[in-house]
Amino acid sequence: MSTEVKDPTPAAVDPRLLVRESGVKGYIEDFQRRLKGGDLGALPVAIGLVIIWVTFYSLNENFLAPQNLSNLALQIAATGTISVGIVLVLLLGEIDLAVGSVSGLTGAVLAVLNVNQGMSAPLAILAALVAGAVVGWIHGFFFARVGVPSFVVTLAGLIGWQGLQLYVLGKEGTINLPYEGGVATLTHTFFPHAMGYAIGAAVVVVYLLLDMSSARRRAKAGLPTRPLSESVIRALLVAVAVFVSIYVLNQAEGLPLALLIFVGFVAGFDWILRRTRYGRMIFAVGGNAEAASRAGIDVRWVRISVYVLSATMGAAGGVMAASRLFAVNQSSGGNNELLNAIAAAVIGGTSLFGGRGSTYSALLGMLVIGSISNGMYLLQLDSSVQFMITGAVLLAAVVIDSVSRRGRAAAGRA
């Protein structure tokens, strides 16, 4: 008969896990630790966004008017959707230069099927998304299987898919979408005021339930959890942000469906990245591909799947852009679509070096770029000034990312 002797010394626990049960004090200590470690998170872009909004409001009071904010929400939806896919690629430490051309090509496929071939809007949209996924698989195959650098593969795609877009559109070069058609409703639908608040309430309830579910899983795994009161407070803060936004939008035309779709993509992919095994594999491959491979992760499969998702999101952005313009033409997906999508992800805080970032950076980055563009338009400034300011903001974001990376390396967290 043996007697089990228990070790009175508590097991060592990662201090980052203890913050969840330390309340407000724990969050403050965690914030200080992140600053010392060079992990600034979304703080720089949040401060920058406040400065931009205050500056433009002081120069033109219409900048923060409900109608202008509603217009801003519609302006950023299409490119922001493309930027969500860019975030996934950047998390791998790679790049996708073809998403602009993919959005133009899939927009052309959508218009031809819906207008010229008479296909219903839902089926035409589905076909456009599938076309985007196929294009993404081609990119991923040549990158992950053949070994061609992602820069070269997607650069070739940028040129090649643009050519295919011109071929699909034909000699006329422009296809107009019906104003009352199913495609147009994506970006020209505004929910009634009461329904907008109901959607906001549903969002808060889902957030609270997911938060409580996460706490139960942590408790089941023997990890520290936050108390229920803290989850409720977090949900209340989310509720304030959601309902204030809906109230402002209701002062104009109401909550736009396009914004709901964009934010839905952001929140959905954020949940996938933080709460699923697949999301953790993306971070692992982006952080160190060799280590991920040694840990048993199929690196090539992860890379191909991410390029499929990136191109599919590019297709979704192309559908949104076609819906907003009521047309697809030879310049669809061109202009600054690609550059703004990449810039938004970087400005929002996703690292160019891979392994660090969030899909919310697409939302924050697009708010910065869209606010600069919108404010410049209100002030009737030349577009050249807009490009220079956006470039300066992008450079500042990359510098902050580089400095932050060095700080994390010095703190042993890179």
Side-chain angles (χ1 to χ4, degrees), residues 49-60:
L49 188 60
V50 171
I51 293 173
I52 290 170
W53 282 26
V54 170
T55 301
F56 281 121
Y57 178 71
S58 65
L59 297 174
N60 191 321

Side-chain angles (χ1 to χ4, degrees), residues 36-107:
K36 291 178 180 177
D39 187 2
L40 302 178
L43 182 62
V45 67
I47 294 174
L49 188 60
V50 171
I51 293 173
I52 290 170
W53 282 26
V54 170
T55 301
F56 281 121
Y57 178 71
S58 65
L59 297 174
N60 191 321
E61 294 183 351
N62 291 326
F63 179 75
L64 292 182
Q67 186 59 56
N68 192 54
L69 292 179
S70 179
N71 293 337
L72 175 61
L74 293 176
Q75 289 169 3
I76 66 175
T79 309
T81 301
I82 298 174
S83 187
V84 171
I86 288 292
V87 168
L88 301 178
V89 175
L90 291 180
L91 288 177
L92 290 181
E94 303 295 337
I95 192 67
D96 188 347
L97 297 177
V99 285
S101 296
V102 172
S103 70
L105 170 63
T106 52

Side-chain angles (χ1 to χ4, degrees), residues 75-202:
Q75 289 169 3
I76 66 175
T79 309
T81 301
I82 298 174
S83 187
V84 171
I86 288 292
V87 168
L88 301 178
V89 175
L90 291 180
L91 288 177
L92 290 181
E94 303 295 337
I95 192 67
D96 188 347
L97 297 177
V99 285
S101 296
V102 172
S103 70
L105 170 63
T106 52
V109 171
L110 167 74
V112 168
L113 293 177
N114 183 234
V115 178
N116 294 357
Q117 303 299 322
M119 183 180 288
S120 65
L123 285 179
I125 292 172
L126 179 62
L129 296 178
V130 171
V134 171
V135 169
W137 181 85
I138 294 173
H139 292 163
F141 174 80
F142 280 100
F143 165 56
R145 290 284 181 182
V146 182
V148 182
S150 61
F151 178 87
V152 177
V153 172
T154 55
L155 179 61
L158 183 152
I159 301 170
W161 304 128
Q162 197 170 38
L164 184 58
Q165 174 187 346
L166 300 179
Y167 177 80
V168 172
L169 288 174
K171 295 181 180 178
E172 294 183 357
T174 300
I175 298 177
N176 295 317
L177 296 166
Y179 289 115
E180 303 298 331
V183 177
T185 58
L186 287 176
T187 55
H188 295 84
T189 296
F190 296 87
F191 292 103
H193 295 183
M195 186 174 291
Y197 287 123
I199 292 173

